[in-house]
Amino acid sequence: MIGEIHRFDTVTSTQEAARLLISEGRAKAGDVVLADSQTAGRGRFGREWRSPIGGLYATFLLEDGTLLPLSAGVAVALALERFGLKPGLKWPNDIVIDKKKLGGIIVEKVGDIALVGIGINLSTAPLKGSTCALEHGVMIDRDTLLEAIRAELEAEREEGEVLASYLSRSVTIGLRISVKRGNLPPLFGIARGIDEEGRLLVETGLGIVPISSGDCFHLLSRGG
């Protein structure tokens, strides 16, 4: 479902711009909101995401789906691979290269429309622990990458294919991790897999615990 691209010089965030456009009846599923920069870009849990000119900052308006956060990660990874990059996927929504964050994905809903916000560092790495495509010798035209991601998001994939593609690029599975879930105590264990609902399966002393949402931190040693 190919729709309109709503282009802006600067917005607070493309997610907020998409919400406004939907409320005004000016945007629908299939559309994309694209900005040159964001003044209040954010990740999951309201985390800061700096958005200087030179990166890709877009929100794709899609029909909702069970594995959408994972399929979005797969789509971004496949798009970046077209340009010669080898990104990994850190559960649930980070795009990484060499343990540094290249980009992130946030999925929110407005009615029956999913807002898939994607930020990718192309020419600068504005936050500590981040990286950009240029640091890896790859110059990517923003609009070309946008269309590559859009094509991958529109591609039809079975749920099994999405899971297999995600797992093959996962940098989380097999690691000792901690997961912070709101006000609950951190959960420590070994990431063993991802189930058909997209939940991270964490092996703890009490057995396998499925995690649907949380903040995942990689610890130093690998699991046994």
Side-chain angles (χ1 to χ4, degrees), residues 1-218:
M1 184 187 297
I2 302 300
E4 181 181 354
I5 298 178
H6 304 267
R7 296 176 181 270
F8 297 90
D9 294 332
T10 301
V11 294
T12 54
S13 77
T14 57
Q15 294 288 90
E16 294 305 318
R19 288 179 184 276
L20 179 61
L21 290 169
I22 291 170
S23 72
E24 295 175 343
R26 297 166 55 199
K28 62 188 184 306
D31 288 1
V32 181
V33 177
L34 177 68
D36 294 338
S37 64
Q38 302 177 120
T39 59
R42 57 187 172 82
R44 293 171 72 249
F45 307 113
R47 256 192 233 94
E48 177 189 22
W49 177 266
R50 293 184 188 170
S51 314
I53 291 174
L56 169 72
Y57 316 114
T59 291
F60 297 80
L61 282 61
L62 304 174
E63 296 178 358
D64 196 18
T66 304
L67 293 179
L68 185 54
L70 300 189
S71 62
V74 169
V76 172
L78 287 169
L80 290 168
E81 287 168 9
R82 297 188 188 189
F83 299 90
L85 292 171
K86 299 295 182 183
L89 298 172
K90 177 179 178 288
W91 189 90
N93 67 340
D94 285 351
I95 312 298
V96 300
I97 296 181
D98 296 335
K99 300 181 180 180
K100 293 184 177 181
K101 187 169 179 176
L102 177 72
I105 300 167
I106 182 172
V107 180
E108 300 172 321
K109 288 186 65 176
V110 174
D112 58 356
I113 297 179
L115 306 184
V116 181
I118 297 173
I120 305 291
N121 297 328
L122 298 180
S123 58
T124 61
L127 290 174
K128 182 179 179 181
S130 66
T131 188
C132 66
L134 193 58
E135 285 184 353
H136 298 274
V138 178
M139 293 185 65
I140 301 177
D141 175 74
R142 183 195 64 174
D143 285 6
T144 303
L145 177 59
L146 178 80
E147 291 303 331
I149 293 174
R150 194 179 202 181
E152 295 293 352
L153 285 170
E154 293 287 343
E156 293 187 6
R157 296 185 178 88
E158 298 292 334
E159 289 186 358
E161 182 184 357
V162 170
L163 282 172
S165 294
Y166 187 95
L167 288 169
S168 70
R169 294 168 175 83
S170 173
V171 297
T172 299
I173 303 306
L175 293 185
R176 295 187 183 277
I177 63 170
S178 67
V179 183
K180 184 177 180 182
R181 300 165 294 164
N183 295 323
L184 295 174
L187 179 75
F188 293 88
I190 301 170
R192 289 303 190 192
I194 295 174
D195 69 12
E196 66 279 358
E197 296 180 24
R199 298 179 299 182
L200 182 67
L201 302 177
V202 183
E203 181 183 354
T204 72
L206 299 176
I208 297 291
V209 178
I211 304 296
S212 58
S213 177
D215 224 357
C216 179
F217 299 91
H218 292 177

